[in-house]
């Protein structure tokens, strides 16, 4: 469901008068490429809505310096130069975004947490923040991946937003969509989808992110939104393999379509109540993000280089991503293990083949057969 | 609805014995790029199913030589060299495909007509064939475009397949999908969707086209299938403009997504009973064809060149398409006129802007605004 008409006069202030301490404070958790691009957007939107949001946005950037390294931290660099020269060089981060290496300093007074860290970093972040947040705070996750929780002998499928909700005790929405970080930071036009549990939070988050050049739509179909964001990275790896192998346009389009169908099937299997009408797939998080990622994203790039060389994945990532990693390969592994545990991997041959190519168990021909003999054609 | 289980033992022969004259004869009408690629596929499939189909496929190629031109016709060239050197050079057309410049010779004994001519050529073809076909013959249209019929003061929306059905008095299915002609002719993997009224004909057509490298799915949602095939050419023109203007990945993806939404909205408006569950958009004729066309097709190419130069459209087409034309511009015009007549063009700003750019009434900024202020964001 998409709702656009939320009454902010009531939401902001029931008493007709704004007090400073009723304005919402925003914290960004994550100082990578995407976190920095989002800081460029959010720094500007809060300044324009100073009746609703506190003008200072805090931004947690992990101190990744090795012991003895005397160079400034990323947080220091951002605060002095207003640029993340390591992960988003050449783009100005607004000066009302104040970076810090202290997670608690960044988050303890915040009402809205924007989580933009790799999946692997989530447990540590949540454990440090547990019990330290403002009452009524809520979060939005921009992290792509899937999680799991013990369920007898099997593992139960979990969303990362569910992990965050459980670990922090706050409601967690998601933001996914067709947005390459550099283009977003440059203020080029793009779209995104917010998947939320309550429209009150969804519409508040729309105010945080929406600009004339960053158009946001809100839907309560949050499971499909989050899984579109996670699984598209696997499809993009398949698309990257196709590019690396010199396959034709028609094949790549078939891979993207079949990948979208596997995504839909995955959502339907694990969250049968979500996405039944298929709306999420027509949102930016669906078909648009898939196209952007399969043509312009880092997962496509890494997969293309991986299949063309004999280098290990880590080496390829190191050469291409400047210290960051691609989320497709670990998501493919997590998804494949989940499918195996639930004995349904045969229905997802593209997801399976992507994982097996990365771990050396499949070759080019297996992927081609996964496409040609896809169960969708039966 | 997609059906895969059709009993061909009953269909082929109710009496347990095949007779030569019960085998179906196939005719291809159209000797252009796509008609020739389809001849490569169909020539092979019928040879492998000689119990069902007559091995000789006839192919009508219009004699486009000017008076006094002594060079061989395309039909002669195909019959002597098994290649359409003008429109599909370098690809071998199977020798059981026999070309002719006589429409009646090609079609009068055929049971299945494959129509692969530009929209503009359909009325003449149908008028010549009217009353001259085998009893029980049926057709499949690969032509992209929309039609109309008088309806009081307004014009009523019509499908090209409806025109064919009315003019020929035979049932007409459609085949649409992500298939660039050259790649199909080369036997590279691709997919297509057949939209049919009766599954008996749909499944028979699947036998005509389906190969391990040309995978066919059948659905009765024929209006959505046909309109996906027609309207994607308009979206591809918008994508080509975006490329020509150097717009970013995110913008192009947004254009493709919004174009898909306009397509869906168009189908829902004119054929409210079709495509309500959105399945056709997940078929090859939907998202896959859209991606292929927006990245690799001739409409994208023509639109990109058009917006980068000051040349008239016809000149650009002449330079790029070797005498063929792109279907996007005339379809955009037909669609815009239909939308205006029904007073709903404001809901289709991308379709509108594409047409108006081609006729010089819109510039770059109008298209950008059509995207940024799209009613989907309201």
């Amino acid at each position: 469901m998409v709702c656009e008409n939320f009454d902010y006069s009531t939401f902001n202030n029931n008493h007709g008068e704004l007090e400073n301490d009723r304005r919402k404070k925003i914290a960004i958790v994550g100082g990578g490429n995407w976190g920095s691009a989002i800081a460029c957007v959010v720094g500007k939107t809060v300044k324009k809505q100073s009746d609703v949001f506190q003008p200072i946005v805090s931004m947690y950037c992990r101190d990744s310096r090795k012991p003895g390294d005397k160079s400034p931290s990323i947080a220091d660099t951002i605060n002095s130069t207003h640029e993340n020269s390591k992960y988003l060089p050449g783009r100005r981060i607004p000066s009302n975004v104040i970076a810090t290496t202290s997670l608690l300093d960044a988050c303890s007074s915040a009402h809205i947490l924007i989580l933009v860290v790799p999946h692997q970093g989530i447990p540590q972040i949540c454990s440090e923040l547990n019990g330290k947040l403002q009452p009524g705070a809520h979060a939005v996750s921009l992290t792509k991946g899937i999680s799991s929780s013990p369920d007898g002998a099997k593992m139960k499928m979990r969303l990362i937003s569910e992990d965050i909700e459980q670990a922090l005790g706050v409601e967690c929405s998601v933001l996914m969509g067709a947005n390459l970080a550099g283009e977003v930071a440059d203020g080029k036009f793009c779209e995104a989808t917010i998947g939320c549990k309550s429209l009150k939070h969804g519409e508040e988050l729309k105010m945080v992110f929406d600009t004339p050049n960053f158009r946001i739509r809100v839907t309560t179909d949050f499971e499909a939104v989050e899984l579109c964001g996670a699984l598209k990275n696997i499809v993009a790896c398949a698309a990257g393999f196709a590019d690396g192998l010199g396959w034709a346009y028609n094949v790549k389009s078939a891979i993207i379509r079949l990948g979208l169908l596997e995504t839909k099937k995955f959502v339907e299997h694990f969250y049968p109540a979500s996405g039944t009408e298929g709306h999420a797939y027509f949102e930016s998080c669906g078909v648009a993000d898939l196209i952007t990622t399969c043509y312009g994203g880092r997962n496509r790039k890494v997969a293309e280089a991986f299949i063309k060389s004999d280098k290990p994945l880590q080496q390829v990532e190191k050469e291409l991503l400047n210290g960051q990693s691609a989320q497709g390969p670990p998501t493919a592994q997590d998804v494949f293990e989940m499918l195996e545990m639930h004995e349904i991997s045969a229905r997802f041959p593209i997801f399976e083949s992507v994982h097996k190519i990365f771990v050396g168990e499949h070759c080019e021909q297996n992927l081609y057969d996964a496409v040609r003999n896809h169960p969708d054609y039966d």
Side-chain angles (χ1 to χ4, degrees), chain A:
Chain A
M1 184 200 159
V2 173
C3 170
E4 307 284 342
N5 304 309
F6 182 74
D7 181 1
Y8 270 92
S9 57
T10 315
F11 171 73
N12 293 332
N13 190 339
N14 288 318
H15 310 288
E17 193 185 335
L18 283 167
E19 294 165 31
N20 266 354
D21 62 3
R22 295 187 69 93
R23 295 189 303 174
K24 301 289 175 106
K25 174 155 193 261
I26 295 169
I28 297 170
V29 179
N33 178 245
W34 188 211
S36 303
I38 279 299
C40 294
V41 174
V42 174
K44 285 181 200 149
T45 57
V46 299
K47 248 198 287 196
K48 287 191 183 147
Q49 301 172 88
S50 58
D51 53 333
V52 183
F53 300 114
Q54 293 183 28
I56 298 299
V57 174
S58 57
M59 180 178 184
Y60 165 67
C61 303
R62 190 170 64 92
D63 189 350
S64 57
R65 291 172 298 178
K66 297 207 170 104
D69 183 348
K70 301 276 190 230
S71 63
S73 68
I74 289 177
D76 287 339
T77 310
I78 291 175
N79 291 336
S80 58
T81 66
H82 306 297
E83 182 185 337
N84 185 339
S85 51
K86 185 164 167 67
Y87 293 127
L88 193 68
R91 273 80 172 201
R92 188 182 153 77
I93 294 174
S95 57
N96 59 323
V97 175
I98 307 294
T100 168
T101 56
S102 162
L103 183 62
L104 282 182
D105 282 356
C107 300
S108 57
S109 61
H111 305 95
I112 299 173
L113 263 80
I114 302 171
L115 293 160
V116 208
V117 287
H119 183 189
Q120 300 80 341
I122 294 282
Q124 175 69 22
I125 298 274
C126 288
S127 129
E128 279 187 50
L129 288 179
N130 187 8
K132 311 276 172 51
L133 298 177
Q134 288 288 312
H138 63 101
V140 55
S141 164
L142 279 63
T143 299
K144 277 90 181 175
I146 68 160
S147 186
S148 58
S149 64
D151 181 28
K154 284 187 184 177
M155 295 295 280
K156 193 169 170 271
M157 166 69 206
R158 282 248 292 211
L159 302 171
I160 292 177
S161 63
E162 290 179 283
D163 282 352
I164 294 170
E165 291 201 332
Q166 194 177 45
L168 293 182
V170 303
E171 192 175 291
C172 185
S173 309
V174 293
L175 181 144
M176 306 280 152
N179 9 78
L180 297 175
E183 297 184 2
V184 171
D186 288 341
K188 289 183 178 165
F189 178 82
C190 63
E191 327 170 292
T193 312
I194 286 174
C196 60
K197 277 110 193 168
S198 72
L199 281 173
K200 176 185 160 191
H201 287 159
E203 292 297 323
E204 186 176 38
L205 290 169
K206 180 171 176 169
M207 292 179 74
V208 174
F209 293 105
D210 192 55
T211 77
N213 274 340
F214 191 57
R215 296 303 306 260
I216 304 286
R217 279 172 56 86
V218 178
T219 166
T220 52
D221 198 3
F222 64 92
E223 300 101 329
V225 174
E226 182 166 351
L227 286 171
C228 278
L231 302 179
K232 63 115 195 267
N233 284 330
I234 310 180
V235 186
C237 290
F241 292 150
D243 286 344
L245 296 163
W247 291 354
Y249 281 111
N250 291 339
V251 189
K252 186 166 168 181
S253 293
I255 285 175
I256 297 173
R257 182 184 84 84
L258 294 168
L260 182 63
L261 285 185
E262 290 191 15
T263 301
K264 197 162 168 278
K265 219 185 311 180
F266 191 94
V267 174
E268 285 162 1
H269 183 86
F270 290 106
Y271 298 92
S274 179
T276 42
E277 293 181 13
H279 291 321
Y281 309 103
F282 293 106
E283 297 290 343
S284 178
C285 65
V287 61
D289 195 8
L290 196 59
I291 296 171
T292 288
T293 312
C294 288
Y295 278 90
R298 68 165 81 157
N299 285 282
R300 189 214 67 79
K301 195 169 155 185
V302 163
E304 180 184 37
F306 175 79
I307 208 144
K308 285 168 82 173
S309 77
D310 293 326
K311 295 175 190 166
L313 178 61
Q314 280 186 320
Q315 175 69 20
V316 172
E317 287 185 325
K318 205 174 162 188
E319 289 172 12
L320 290 179
L321 299 184
N322 188 27
Q324 297 216 310
S325 61
Q327 202 59 49
T331 304
Q333 169 142 10
D334 292 345
V335 163
F336 178 67
E337 285 169 4
M338 187 60 64
L339 295 172
E340 281 285 274
M341 210 168 300
H342 291 260
E343 297 172 356
I344 51 171
S345 58
R347 293 168 56 203
F348 300 82
I350 292 179
F351 288 172
E352 175 175 357
S353 200
V354 167
H355 166 63
K356 290 192 168 170
I357 286 175
F358 277 125
V359 298
E361 292 172 22
H362 265 191
C363 66
E364 164 182 356
Q365 188 62 42
N366 298 104
L367 178 62
Y368 204 73
D369 290 342
V371 176
R372 293 209 317 170
N373 306 323
H374 200 278
D376 184 50
Y377 299 124
D378 294 339

